[in-house]
Amino acid sequence: MLSERMESLADPRLDVYRSLKSTNATRDAQLFIAEGPTVVERVLRSDFRVRSVVISDRKFAAFEPRLPADVPVYRLTQVQAEELVGFAFHCGVMACAERRPPQPLETWLPAAGPALLVAGDRVTDPENVGALIRIGAAFGAAGIVLGEGSADPFSRRVLRVSMGNGLFLPIVETGDLAGLLVKLQQQYAMDICLTVLDATARPLHQHHFAARTTLVFGNEYDGISEAVRRVSDSRLTIPMFNGTDSLNVAVSAGIFLHQYRSTPADA
């Protein structure tokens, strides 16, 4: 293991971890930061290239067996770590890894047979994006698609909420979600299902899912954009009672994906 005690926080090798709450340097540099023992362990097991690990003294002994021999490990006191990152370093360990170039659909989406995709149209809340990724992974989604304006799927908060599941699941970010959905319809025979709050939409329990389905979830405030609405094969809604007007994106996703897996799919 390439473990090193850091005496000075001015060391440039620590720059990527510096003042994380107030900078977005990692995204601009095509890097991301994994935070906490579970997510760091998962990024170390993934095929992402890990550049370094920062770890506090109190966490080092317990985490040492999981640290690979070929990744630089920078040890800090708790006080140093908190000064470096700019907030309470309760997690005790972080890792910096390189983002990958976008993965073309043809490299991971099956051309035939059952396939489920989860798409987010301007889902801005990092916790909701993280939940979409985690729920998608739990229900066997082949990949996640995020339209322009959605939260960074590799931000610290998204990775934390998703429990690192996005490290093992293809994630596509696109500036033209409607165009990509058309491609999924025409070239990959995917049925595009929009999840909406609309009394005229089909109640979820009455819908028979196609085996190849993309479920689209909209913005937390104004739902699915007009451009994406024009692409749909089906518009689905969850009937609600007691005057309830909406559900959280993550709760809705769990209900929709469970229904997809629980009912016989149309071929």
Side-chain angles (χ1 to χ4, degrees), residues 42 48 99 116-120 123 125-146 150-173 215 217 249-250 253-254 257:
R42 288 179 176 174
F48 285 86
R99 296 179 187 237
L116 172 65
L117 295 182
V118 174
V123 179
D125 189 323
E127 293 194 4
N128 284 336
V129 170
L132 283 179
I133 293 170
R134 187 173 182 179
I135 292 165
F139 285 99
I144 308 293
V145 177
L146 297 172
S150 295
D152 177 8
F154 290 96
S155 72
R156 289 186 299 116
R157 189 184 302 179
V158 170
L159 283 168
R160 187 167 63 248
V161 173
S162 72
M163 296 298 290
N165 280 288
L167 301 167
F168 306 97
L169 195 65
I171 297 178
V172 175
E173 296 181 86
L215 279 165
F217 298 89
V249 172
L257 270 69

Side-chain angles (χ1 to χ4, degrees), residues 105-125:
L105 290 173
E106 59 269 19
T107 65
W108 56 267
L109 181 60
L116 172 65
L117 295 182
V118 174
D121 181 13
R122 301 168 300 125
V123 179
T124 59
D125 189 323

